[in-house]
Amino acid sequence: MLLLAFDTATPAVTAAVHDGTTVLAESTSIDARRHGELLMPAVDHVLREAGVRLDAVTGIVVGVGPGPYTGLRVGLVTAAAFGDALGIPVHGVCTLDGLAYAAGVAGLGGPFVVATDARRKEVYWARYDGPRTRATGPAVDRPGDIAAEVAGLPVVGAGAALYPEVFADVRPPADQSAGALAALAAAKLADGEEFLPPLPLYLRRPDAQVPAAYKAVLPK
């Protein structure tokens, strides 16, 4: 097994190579506006660091969100292209599940919450009973609207740090790790679990909208 994993659903543009047992190489850059510029160099870097060729990869693991439209589609389109070109499966994993798994590696049990920044003063979030057990979500909400549901629970993810009045017990990790995403996928493959389809989990309409007063111009 040789997995190439990446996720662009958050400001963390992250890629990793995993051999089914351990992370061979990982690269993460935090930049909310340069997913398209940073992903392929990150993939190239981890492949070279791991000492493997792209055509040796046996599976692609990609974070499917939830996340903003522009960044999320970069990873998903790249995953689809690799899968088609190499003739290998593309395994979709919820981005929040990757953060939850990383939290478990860091020693957090359960229950806890994962929250990432959804912009518009909202968070993408889910509640977990354990690192591999999602109890609710994913969903997108204003933090104040879910205060009662998350009260008293530890929270991981960069979205939590933006709203300390709601998320009082913020724990690491803050950012997505493709290494953790790949490790979770390897565990799921070993256990025969199903994956999500490699399709975007937006949860809401994109920020970019066609103007309501748009006027069609017809040729004369």
Side-chain angles (χ1 to χ4, degrees):
M1 180 190 301
L2 192 63
L3 301 175
L4 172 62
F6 45 85
D7 195 328
T8 59
T10 72
V13 181
T14 179
V17 175
H18 195 287
D19 66 0
T21 302
T22 189
V23 176
L24 302 181
E26 182 172 8
S27 172
T28 301
S29 300
I30 310 300
D31 193 323
R33 298 182 180 275
R34 299 178 62 218
H35 297 85
E37 299 173 48
L38 296 174
L39 179 58
M40 288 307 298
V43 168
D44 181 64
H45 173 77
V46 296
L47 288 171
R48 285 189 288 106
E49 186 174 315
V52 300
R53 292 168 51 92
L54 180 59
D55 58 11
V57 171
T58 60
I60 304 295
V61 180
V62 62
V64 301
Y69 176 78
T70 303
L72 180 54
R73 66 178 179 173
V74 170
L76 287 165
V77 168
T78 303
F82 282 161
D84 183 64
L86 299 171
I88 57 177
V90 179
H91 307 297
V93 179
C94 175
T95 294
L96 303 184
D97 289 357
L99 277 159
Y101 190 80
V105 172
L108 188 59
F112 62 89
V113 172
V114 176
T116 61
D117 184 18
R119 305 173 187 172
R120 302 185 191 176
K121 298 182 179 180
E122 295 178 331
V123 292
Y124 298 117
W125 71 285
R127 177 171 172 160
Y128 292 80
D129 288 336
R132 290 183 61 182
T133 308
R134 178 158 28 101
T136 64
V140 57
D141 288 290
R142 288 183 175 270
D145 294 340
I146 60 171
E149 297 179 66
V150 304
L153 295 177
V155 190
V156 304
L162 300 174
Y163 305 97
E165 69 281 5
V166 174
F167 304 111
D169 186 6
V170 180
R171 309 279 186 93
D175 297 302
Q176 177 69 303
S177 158
L181 196 74
L184 172 58
K188 289 170 69 70
L189 285 167
D191 293 343
E193 296 181 18
E194 293 185 358
F195 288 85
L196 295 174
L199 300 173
L201 191 60
Y202 292 130
L203 300 188
R204 71 180 185 202
R205 296 180 62 82
D207 293 335
Q209 302 279 341
V210 176
Y214 176 77
K215 182 178 180 181
V217 178
L218 300 176
K220 294 182 180 180

